Amino acid sequence: MTDPNAIQPSALDQLPDRDPEETAEWQASLDAVAREAGPHRAAYLMRRTLERAEAGGVALPKLLETDYVNTIPTSAEPGLPGDPEMEARITAWNRWNAAAMVTRGAKHGVGGHIATFASAAWLYETGFNHFFRGKEQDGSGDQLYIQGHASPGIYARAFLDGRLNEAHLDNFRQEAGGNGLPSYPHPRRLPWLWEFPTVSMGLGPLSAIYQARFNRYLTNRGIKDVSASHVWAFLGDGEMDEPESTAALALAAREELDNLTFVINCNLQRLDGPVRANFKIVQELEAQFRGAGWNVVKSLWGSAWDELFALDTTGALVRRLRQVPDAQVQTYQTRDAAYIRQDFFGADPALVEMAKLLSDDKILECFHLSRGGHEAGKVYAAYKAAVEHKGAPTVILAQTVKGHTLGSGFASKNANHQMKKLSVDEFKAMRDLLGLPIKDSDFTDGVVPYGHPGADSPEVRYLQERRAALGGPAPARRVHPLAPLPAPADKAFAAFDKGSGSQNVATTMAFVRLVKDLVRDKETGKRWVPIVPDEARTFGMESLFPSLGIYSPKGQTYEPVDRDQLMYYKEAKNGQILNEGITEAGSMADFIAASSAYATHGEAMIPFYIFYSMFGWQRTADQMWQLGDQLGRGFLVGATAGRTTLTGEGLQHADGHSPVIAATNPAALSYDPAFAYEVAVVVREGLRRMYGEAKPGEDQNVFYYLTVYNEPLPQPAKPAAPGVDEGIVKGLYRFNTAESAGVTAPADAPRIQLLGSGTAIHWALEAQKLLAEEWGVAADVWSATSWGELRRDALDADAALLRGEERVPYVRQALQGAEGPVLAVSDYMRQVPDQIAQWVEQDWSSLGADGFGLSDTREAARRHFGVDAQSIVVAALAQLAKHGEVKATAVKEAREKYGL
């Protein structure tokens, strides 16, 4: 059996010891300290020695966890500038109004959260008073990712500085009347205030990292110098359980994003109870961030603890703080001094002696009130250290009490996240604690009043002066009038009008060819932001590597293995391509930052993010919603799309539903183009709508989702018939008729309309031929480029009818007079084409690839799902037989003929 006390071998044993005697002396010294002064003293000396080595640049593994004390000792704090008393009064007003707003709203049953801002007030106020740069000076200001549940405190501050009034506060979470405030940071709902939606927890920290990274990208590419911008992300300790919260920590450290600071409000509580009941979340987070390469600043204890630490001559206090689990710390917050003396101090004889020197009031002050996150001086010191640190991002772990200043009924209670209001008596106690001049008579009919010192009061003047010095109000979203981007030359788009002749071309390749031409445009080419999650070669994009370069803040510090090849792997500091590695979430965060740069930085960028369609909406639909909320613009491209086109990969790669998910996003314009010229038309229209001259009443804050395929097929020329481009944009046009297709059918043949989207139109065209030649049926083929846009137009028509306006949906107009029933087919589940069924006057039926995918050839997969040409023929005959247009026996004959 291995002796647990024996010295275990390490990596150092693999290296020769040039001076074993010196090594033995060091080891003997450590043994002596442990023997004479105890293992705690030995551990203390080792930690201090490792810290000294790290500070001196000695190449040693980093110390991942430090003592449960403040990183910055009181003696090293820089001191709080400005007027601390004035800032305390401002913070008091904001605390009051945040609680009042939520309590008044609770009477209407709309909910709200009080306890989060109560714990984090000084984390925000210190930043607003001294650090957060606004947008009214040079540059773009700072970017603030506000913790969603703290929104009442941000509204309260905007009320104090005059940007909101009482009517706004009274309509918190009541937006239908047009004068309300959204529950959380929602730019689409309140576009002059909020920049970033954050309350889908975990997306804020991920987006903040990629925003900081995109700021560097803009600067390094020479688009705009935003090096003065700092990204601040305010997070909850419970939020850090979300995998997205920590998914990109290594990226931030690897790229040395010292323009980024995370502020984690460690109130030790999540929504139902303690974050780490039996452990310590601060220590866990410290190890995680330090291990990832971040600078970590802990602000845990307030100044009342200074006396206790000064008495801790044996280290017993620090050891005890490391031992006590978070849930017990929360319990101390609610118990009397006698309990704390017994449970905390009674655990160690040295602490028993220390407690004899402390009054009950002192113990309660320390354990109930004094936290690093509740003192402006402590917070200021942490923020100053963060912005001055170079070479790595910083995380500030600030310990607070959830529900601080709201009274004993709230502070540290497990249920406080769900507690929506205070009683009048609790408000009066809060008023007295905060020292606010609010009279009992102001509580009319039991309604808590809002408080305001007056528009010309010293508090408001001070607040506005501080914000003016820092560049104006914050948070604030500004969209400066931008000149429409010039449209690229028609040549790039018209190149696809003639078709591909005898060459087979996949629509994925058609899109990539189009982008290659567009990025060369002298006016707008530099504004394209190609984003790909390590699949560029799959999509045929490797030719862009040497011409555009792959973005890397370090450039290329090595000689690429394929340097002698034409399409070598080229990284560059000013590279244009963002090749993110295997992270769809990171790629989407990139896309969101680029897509909203027109507002964040006043620079219109044109991102396109190309990905396996199966791993887009299914995996990151929450971020697509975030994108819509943030009013982002750009092109999402789901490549290798469809259920049956990606041969051999199987069900996990087979996308049969992304258009369904896309249809749930109001900001997404979803297209499933069949031909290369359709791709060109959609992209040209997208550039016009999002970046060019908008039509009256047209919303530019949309994004496009295109599904493109990897199946090489003949690309036909664009039909010469009028209205084709309009039909492509609106979602439907007739590609051909039985007569124009040249298929042979009797003059009085029964007729059917075949609607196909994406690659399915090729099966419809084959079915058109079979129906004519083998069954005497004439079929017209329509290209349904967007089932979603057809549905959206029809829904708008329905809404118009409710307003008394007569409007016929476009799909009904397009199919008006078309003979026979309609059969729709796509490479997606039937729900995709069925979106428009209720607005089609003709008899409707559909085919689709419902169910899971499978590994096989395309032909076998299509036969399995019943969407191949022969299956279309049988379905068409069945529809016609139902109407007596063909004999019922024809359906059986066709089934047997085709082996169905």
Side-chain angles (χ1 to χ4, degrees):
M1 181 178 293
T2 303
D3 180 0
N5 297 314
I7 297 176
Q8 300 300 310
S10 71
L12 295 179
D13 294 331
Q14 309 301 317
L15 304 175
D17 189 344
R18 67 180 186 181
D19 193 342
E21 185 176 345
E22 181 184 35
T23 304
E25 290 176 358
W26 277 74
Q27 292 172 338
S29 297
L30 180 62
D31 291 342
V33 171
R35 184 172 57 252
E36 299 298 329
H40 298 303
R41 178 61 179 170
Y44 175 84
L45 290 176
M46 287 300 298
R47 286 198 298 273
R48 296 293 88 81
T49 301
L50 286 171
E51 289 172 356
R52 183 62 174 265
E54 183 178 330
V58 178
L60 284 174
K62 287 191 174 184
L63 188 66
L64 296 185
E65 188 178 323
T66 61
D67 288 327
Y68 201 68
V69 297
N70 294 348
T71 302
I72 303 170
T74 302
S75 59
E77 290 175 7
L80 183 66
D83 187 338
E85 292 186 5
M86 183 68 72
E87 292 175 19
R89 292 204 298 273
I90 291 170
T91 305
W93 284 116
N94 292 338
R95 286 182 180 278
W96 177 272
N97 288 321
M101 171 174 41
V102 175
T103 297
R104 288 165 69 125
K107 293 188 175 182
H108 302 286
V110 294
H113 300 284
I114 303 176
T116 295
F117 178 73
S119 68
W122 277 116
L123 302 180
Y124 291 106
E125 291 299 322
T126 304
F128 285 131
N129 288 326
H130 301 286
F131 291 95
F132 305 156
R133 297 174 63 252
K135 297 180 177 295
E136 294 179 356
Q137 293 178 352
D138 294 338
S140 305
D142 289 351
Q143 286 83 59
L144 308 180
Y145 287 77
I146 304 294
Q147 191 180 2
H149 294 131
S151 63
I154 309 305
Y155 290 140
R157 193 170 220 274
F159 169 66
L160 202 64
D161 73 9
R163 292 195 292 166
L164 295 175
N165 57 38
E166 289 193 11
H168 289 115
L169 301 192
D170 265 346
N171 283 290
F172 174 58
R173 292 192 169 198
Q174 299 173 77
E175 300 178 79
N179 196 35
L181 300 178
S183 53
Y184 302 124
H186 292 308
R188 185 169 287 275
R189 298 303 310 157
L190 199 61
W192 61 267
L193 181 72
W194 299 119
E195 283 195 280
F196 309 109
T198 55
V199 85
S200 185
M201 288 191 284
L203 299 190
L206 180 67
S207 294
I209 289 174
Y210 280 89
Q211 182 65 56
R213 196 279 194 93
F214 190 74
N215 290 357
R216 290 279 174 85
Y217 172 90
L218 285 179
T219 300
N220 289 338
R221 287 198 54 219
I223 302 293
K224 183 178 182 179
D225 184 357
V226 295
S227 55
S229 290
H230 199 89
V231 178
W232 299 82
F234 289 84
L235 318 168
D237 47 1
E239 182 177 6
M240 301 310 294
D241 284 345
E242 291 282 5
E244 294 88 353
S245 295
T246 55
L249 298 187
L251 167 71
R254 183 170 65 245
E255 299 200 1
E256 300 178 356
L257 298 180
D258 50 26
N259 60 340
L260 169 68
T261 297
F262 276 15
V263 181
I264 303 182
N265 177 18
C266 297
N267 57 34
L268 314 185
Q269 289 184 247
R270 53 189 176 198
L271 308 189
D272 286 333
V275 178
R276 293 289 183 272
N278 297 296
F279 306 93
K280 301 192 79 63
I281 185 60
V282 168
Q283 301 300 90
E284 178 183 320
L285 292 175
E286 178 185 26
Q288 190 170 17
F289 277 86
R290 286 175 69 89
W294 285 54
N295 176 45
V296 178
V297 177
K298 294 196 287 191
S299 183
L300 307 181
W301 307 111
S303 55
W305 282 82
D306 290 348
E307 180 182 342
L308 276 67
F309 289 124
L311 295 172
D312 187 27
T313 57
T314 65
L317 176 63
V318 173
R319 289 197 301 274
R320 183 65 177 139
L321 289 174
R322 286 171 61 88
Q323 295 168 354
V324 178
D326 284 351
Q328 191 64 19
V329 173
Q330 184 181 349
T331 297
Y332 294 150
Q333 176 69 32
T334 64
R335 298 301 178 89
D336 59 20
Y339 178 89
I340 298 171
R341 284 182 187 276
Q342 178 180 352
D343 190 88
F344 181 84
F345 291 98
D348 188 294
L351 293 181
V352 171
E353 295 303 312
M354 179 189 293
K356 292 177 181 178
L357 304 175
L358 304 174
S359 67
D360 285 356
D361 287 344
K362 182 65 177 180
I363 289 175
L364 293 178
E365 179 187 13
C366 289
F367 284 84
H368 284 193
L369 303 173
S370 188
R371 300 291 186 272
H374 294 325
E375 294 190 13
K378 303 290 186 185
V379 176
Y380 179 85
Y383 285 8
K384 190 171 188 292
V387 298
E388 292 178 354
H389 185 82
K390 301 303 177 186
T394 294
V395 59
I396 295 169
L397 304 175
Q399 187 164 256
T400 66
V401 174
K402 192 167 186 177
H404 183 59
T405 73
L406 297 181
S408 59
F410 269 82
S412 288
K413 294 298 176 67
N414 280 336
N416 60 19
H417 188 77
Q418 306 302 328
M419 297 163 70
K420 312 299 183 186
K421 59 185 177 180
L422 279 72
S423 68
V424 170
D425 288 342
E426 287 172 324
F427 266 109
K428 290 179 179 179
M430 181 184 177
R431 171 201 62 191
D432 296 340
L433 176 65
L434 298 176
L436 293 173
I438 296 174
K439 302 186 294 294
D440 286 353
S441 59
D442 293 334
F443 290 81
T444 306
D445 297 327
V447 176
V448 58
Y450 294 120
H452 200 291
D456 197 38
S457 65
E459 292 92 335
V460 173
R461 288 201 306 271
Y462 181 89
L463 181 155
Q464 293 176 342
E465 287 168 2
R466 291 305 309 140
R467 289 313 313 157
L470 288 166
R477 182 179 183 272
R478 301 287 175 84
V479 181
H480 299 285
L482 297 177
L485 293 182
D490 284 341
K491 181 180 178 181
F493 305 102
F496 298 92
D497 289 353
K498 295 180 181 180
S500 62
S502 60
Q503 182 183 9
N504 288 344
V505 177
T507 50
T508 295
M509 183 54 64
F511 176 82
V512 172
R513 288 182 183 178
L514 175 61
V515 169
K516 287 178 182 177
D517 288 337
L518 295 177
V519 296
R520 295 191 188 104
D521 185 85
K522 292 181 180 180
E523 295 289 337
T524 60
K526 68 178 182 180
R527 298 192 175 276
W528 283 86
V529 184
I531 303 168
V532 60
D534 202 38
E535 288 281 5
R537 297 184 192 277
T538 301
F539 306 139
M541 292 174 58
E542 64 268 31
S543 62
L544 296 177
F545 290 169
S547 59
L548 299 184
I550 299 165
Y551 174 73
S552 169
K554 299 221 178 257
Q556 193 155 38
T557 61
Y558 62 92
E559 183 178 355
V561 67
D562 55 358
R563 182 62 183 87
D564 58 342
Q565 298 178 16
L566 180 63
M567 293 183 288
Y568 71 99
Y569 195 82
K570 177 186 175 183
E571 294 188 84
K573 189 173 182 179
N574 64 346
Q576 193 165 350
I577 301 170
L578 292 172
N579 192 327
E580 287 306 346
I582 306 173
T583 167
E584 288 83 5
S587 299
M588 268 306 303
D590 257 336
F591 186 90
I592 291 169
S595 71
S596 53
Y598 73 92
T600 309
H601 296 299
E603 295 287 344
M605 304 300 289
I606 311 171
F608 82 86
Y609 164 34
I610 187 168
F611 50 88
Y612 266 62
S613 66
M614 184 64 167
F615 306 135
W617 286 87
Q618 174 170 293
R619 179 167 291 185
T620 57
D622 195 11
Q623 288 178 282
M624 275 101 167
W625 193 270
Q626 178 190 11
L627 165 65
D629 194 353
Q630 199 164 315
L631 292 84
R633 306 169 184 175
F635 296 95
L636 296 177
V637 183
T640 60
R643 184 78 83 193
T644 70
T645 59
L646 192 57
T647 56
E649 292 286 357
L651 66 88
Q652 204 165 31
H653 284 65
D655 169 27
H657 53 283
S658 67
V660 176
I661 308 175
T664 66
N665 191 312
L669 278 62
S670 178
Y671 285 85
D672 186 27
F675 306 123
Y677 67 80
E678 293 179 353
V679 172
V681 170
V682 172
V683 171
R684 180 170 56 189
E685 171 64 11
L687 289 173
R688 181 207 64 77
R689 176 165 178 175
M690 294 184 291
Y691 302 98
E693 294 283 357
K695 297 175 182 177
E698 190 173 54
D699 184 6
Q700 287 189 286
N701 298 318
V702 296
F703 61 93
Y704 282 67
Y705 175 54
L706 280 71
T707 44
V708 292
Y709 300 82
N710 72 324
E711 184 176 8
L713 291 164
Q715 296 296 328
K718 183 195 293 187
V724 170
D725 282 12
E726 179 188 17
I728 292 171
V729 172
K730 290 188 173 182
L732 183 68
Y733 69 97
R734 183 157 50 194
F735 175 73
N736 68 19
T737 62
E739 292 74 20
S740 65
V743 295
T744 304
D748 59 347
R751 188 170 290 268
I752 190 169
Q753 308 300 316
L754 301 180
L755 276 58
S757 67
T759 195
I761 201 168
H762 295 277
W763 323 328
L765 290 169
E766 186 181 348
Q768 180 188 50
K769 184 177 180 181
L770 291 174
L771 282 166
E773 294 178 355
E774 299 183 6
W775 305 98
V777 172
D780 301 336
V781 175
W782 299 70
S783 180
T785 54
S786 178
W787 309 102
E789 286 306 289
L790 292 173
R791 176 178 176 81
R792 184 169 289 163
D793 170 80
L795 290 172
D796 289 344
D798 285 355
L801 281 175
L802 291 177
R803 299 191 301 269
E805 304 170 18
E806 189 72 30
R807 190 165 77 76
V808 180
Y810 173 78
V811 64
R812 188 171 295 168
Q813 296 178 43
L815 290 171
Q816 188 174 14
E819 297 178 40
V822 168
L823 173 61
V825 60
S826 84
D827 203 18
Y828 298 93
M829 56 197 302
R830 289 176 61 182
Q831 187 174 340
V832 174
D834 284 348
Q835 292 180 82
I836 65 169
Q838 72 184 80
W839 293 282
V840 174
E841 293 182 320
Q842 293 86 344
D843 184 41
W844 172 274
S845 66
S846 64
L847 295 175
D850 286 75
F852 289 108
L854 75 167
S855 300
D856 213 311
T857 64
R858 294 184 177 111
E859 293 75 18
R862 287 161 188 165
R863 175 56 58 92
H864 169 80
F865 285 110
V867 293
D868 60 351
Q870 292 77 14
S871 298
I872 294 174
V873 169
V874 172
L877 293 174
Q879 266 194 293
L880 291 168
K882 185 170 62 174
H883 293 276
E885 297 291 326
V886 300
K887 294 180 180 179
T889 56
V891 181
K892 181 180 179 182
E893 290 173 16
R895 241 188 339 256
E896 294 174 350
K897 178 181 178 68
Y898 300 133
L900 298 179

